[in-house]
Amino acid sequence: MQDLKKHVMSFFPFAQKQLGFKRPPKLFFVNDKQNAGDTLGKTAYYEPETETIKIYVTNRHPKDVLRSFSHELVHHAQNCRGDFDNDTVTEEGYAQNDPHMRTMEIQAYQASIVFRDWEDSQKGTIYYEYLQKGDKSSMST
């Protein structure tokens, strides 16, 4: 858990800069054995009213937890921009039944690239260095 927290603290400012929000959310790690035993259990969620991210961590790989964090940070950035409206409902099926929320969920799935860019920066991969220099003509293999 200590290693996970270290990576969260490293990833957060990177994601904040990439996503462009100023207010940090509250973050809670949730241990829940019953949820962990459910193949279709929760992984994480964002509460726009309280600007809170809750991530389920029991029996999960730390990298997967960080991906969930990235996804929920996009929802936080959306909230900071005012993309959540007062009558937003996030009950079961919201991403299939509400076109606005579907668009917001699609945007949040693009958080994987933010996470990937941070991960590459931590590993010092050549691909990330090319991105930083603006050279998109080649990539390491």
Side-chain angles (χ1 to χ4, degrees):
M1 184 62 111
Q2 199 59 28
D3 194 49
L4 173 62
K5 288 180 181 178
K6 178 184 84 170
H7 284 89
V8 164
M9 296 305 291
S10 172
F11 175 65
F12 178 75
F14 181 92
Q16 185 176 25
K17 183 177 179 185
Q18 296 297 313
L19 298 173
F21 61 86
K22 293 190 179 6
R23 296 185 313 272
K26 297 175 196 87
L27 173 63
F28 294 94
F29 294 129
V30 179
N31 286 296
D32 185 331
K33 287 183 181 183
Q34 185 175 355
N35 183 69
D38 181 355
T39 300
L40 300 179
K42 295 177 183 178
T43 54
Y45 62 94
Y46 179 68
E47 296 174 345
E49 316 78 42
T50 60
E51 298 188 346
T52 300
I53 294 171
K54 294 190 178 172
I55 304 175
Y56 291 82
V57 296
T58 308
N59 297 334
R60 290 181 67 194
H61 192 284
K63 190 172 180 176
D64 186 47
V65 171
L66 289 164
R67 280 192 201 104
S68 290
F69 183 44
S70 183
H71 178 100
E72 300 308 328
L73 283 174
V74 171
H75 288 315
H76 179 65
Q78 292 167 329
N79 191 33
C80 289
R81 287 193 308 264
D83 294 348
F84 281 90
D85 53 29
N86 292 337
D87 57 353
T88 297
V89 177
T90 56
E91 62 192 23
E92 202 167 316
Y94 73 91
Q96 291 75 30
N97 299 321
D98 181 333
H100 174 68
M101 290 303 294
R102 182 152 185 97
T103 298
M104 289 181 50
E105 197 61 30
I106 289 168
Q107 291 171 355
Y109 277 103
Q110 295 173 0
S112 294
I113 197 67
V114 174
F115 176 75
R116 176 66 185 267
D117 288 349
W118 171 79
E119 181 183 10
D120 286 350
S121 76
Q122 298 301 296
K123 293 178 178 178
T125 62
I126 294 170
Y127 176 66
Y128 185 78
E129 291 167 8
Y130 281 124
L131 286 177
Q132 291 302 313
K133 293 175 186 169
D135 180 357
K136 296 181 181 6
S137 63
S138 59
M139 177 172 68
S140 66
T141 55

